[in-house]
Amino acid sequence: MREILKKFENKQPEIVFEWSDSESEAEGWLVINSLRNGAAGGGTRMKKGIDKQDVIELAKTMEIKYTVSGPPIGGARSGINFDPKDPRKAEVLKRWYAVVMPILKSYCGTMGDLNVDERTEILPITEDYGLWHPQEGVVNGHYKAAEPEKIRKIGQLRQGMGKIIEDPKYAPDGTKRHTVSDMITGYGLAESIKHYYRLWGGKLKGKRAIIQGWGNVGASAACFLALEGVKIVGIHSLEGGLINTEGFSLEEVKTLFLNKENNRLVAENLIPYAEVSQRIWDVKADIFIPAAASRLITKEQVNRLLAGGVELITCGANIPFAEDDIFLGPIGIMADNKISLIPDFISNSGMARLNAYLMGEKAALTDQAIFEDISKTVAKALKRTHETNPQKTKIAQNALEIALNQVI
């Protein structure tokens, strides 16, 4: 597996588009690792300090993710080195999408990612430039859809991505104020944990979980897990954190989800960031979910989590461990060898799978059909891994080997 992995990691991407903004210090890259089966896809993120190598690595992770989520296309990623809090953000995004528009029309799809929202930012800008949908390049390049089929697929994408959730089972407060795209990644993350305990054994109800990151992914996953009886005992975010060794109630978790502001944790009794960053790794828990930025989790933190009883790490963040390797480096392998580790290309496949589902043949656009499809997709990937490795360790290594054999 290591030889195949190194071959994949070291292979140069097929296309690297590089951009320097003429009106600001912003710079950006659109990396297409491969045009497997005619197209590629991946999100657009904005972060101060992101560089070309970061984007290349993210594009490679996306290619592996498509082996789980479908369609079987190449991985891509867009990264813009710019402060997302800068008031010029909207104008920078407009100029970025103006220059990458021909690529998005022809053979590359995009979606929201860190600090870039698909519904409120990508869609309005790209529509003004004549793009039918951010996945239009996949519809054209991979599906090679004729006009009637293209209209149907894009119609399903537009309707499904922005669909308001009507079934209270999939909304944290039971009201019609959340879209499918708000909740789908966190739901897929929670379902990966449910399927893990179903396949590898154990009772989910009563398990204790620590969540890192309180954006849509971490916060919605916490809600779905709390509905299953999981006790959320710790939340760690840039704004600070919360610790409750008895576990927050379902209503408290829902309130924290609803009160977040621009993916920021909001609570009256917030523990300062420096303090919670010292304490949270020693809180006794069974499950740890890194759902913040990439490359944050250190070896020391993993060891402290394990000492506190953590038996499962489920990745909501891409490349969560603080190591140079794109996939499994020393820290990831150490964790995978000692406990159960579900890799991000399975547990964080919700949004990619949603796009694939909506581009399928006459997708049913009901809450139940959409969310059940995500659950079945994650279950299938984990079942395939369990069949090759029923042990509770080396899950991520086996899953990666299965995916790499599909790509190479």
Side-chain angles (χ1 to χ4, degrees), residues 229-334:
V230 174
K231 298 177 181 179
I232 308 301
V233 295
I235 301 170
H236 183 224
S237 188
L238 277 174
E239 302 76 51
L242 296 168
I243 294 173
N244 181 345
T245 55
E246 298 301 315
F248 293 100
S249 69
L250 174 59
E251 290 307 314
E252 287 172 326
V253 174
K254 287 181 178 179
T255 298
L256 288 169
F257 175 88
L258 296 169
N259 287 349
K260 65 186 176 73
E261 296 177 357
N262 297 321
N263 291 331
R264 295 169 63 88
L265 177 63
V266 176
E268 290 183 2
N269 55 339
L270 209 61
I271 303 169
Y273 177 78
E275 181 183 345
V276 77
S277 297
Q278 286 297 318
R279 292 173 53 193
I280 201 154
W281 312 107
D282 301 314
V283 174
K284 292 188 180 302
D286 307 288
I287 301 165
F288 174 58
I289 300 174
S294 302
R295 293 196 164 93
L296 294 181
I297 311 304
T298 67
K299 182 179 180 180
E300 179 199 359
Q301 290 164 352
V302 171
N303 282 327
R304 288 166 67 182
L305 289 167
L306 270 56
V310 165
E311 62 188 15
L312 171 65
I313 297 177
T314 303
C315 302
N318 296 125
I319 320 175
F321 299 107
E323 51 198 9
D324 293 333
D325 299 71
I326 302 175
F327 293 97
L328 287 172
I331 302 172
I333 289 174
M334 179 197 76

Side-chain angles (χ1 to χ4, degrees), residues 19 21 23-27 46 80-82 86-98 125:
W19 171 74
D21 188 18
E23 299 183 36
S24 76
E25 66 274 22
E27 54 183 350
M46 179 181 285
I80 302 171
N81 178 16
F82 191 70
D86 192 298
R88 299 171 292 171
K89 176 188 178 183
E91 296 305 313
V92 168
L93 284 174
K94 286 178 183 178
R95 292 190 290 274
W96 165 258
Y97 285 114
I125 294 171

Side-chain angles (χ1 to χ4, degrees), residues 123-187:
L123 277 167
I125 294 171
T126 56
E127 280 183 354
D128 282 349
Y129 291 140
L131 195 69
W132 288 15
H133 189 272
Q135 294 296 314
E136 186 176 345
V138 177
V139 174
N140 288 329
H142 174 62
Y143 292 100
K144 296 179 171 52
E147 197 75 3
E149 184 185 6
K150 178 178 176 179
I151 291 170
R152 177 180 61 77
K153 287 182 183 297
I154 288 180
Q156 289 174 176
L157 282 163
R158 292 173 69 93
Q159 187 178 346
M161 293 295 291
K163 184 184 183 304
I164 301 296
I165 296 173
E166 299 171 278
D167 189 333
K169 179 181 177 182
Y170 304 110
D173 59 347
T175 63
K176 298 179 181 180
R177 57 185 288 187
H178 310 286
T179 66
V180 167
S181 56
D182 288 334
M183 306 300 294
I184 204 72
T185 306
Y187 178 78

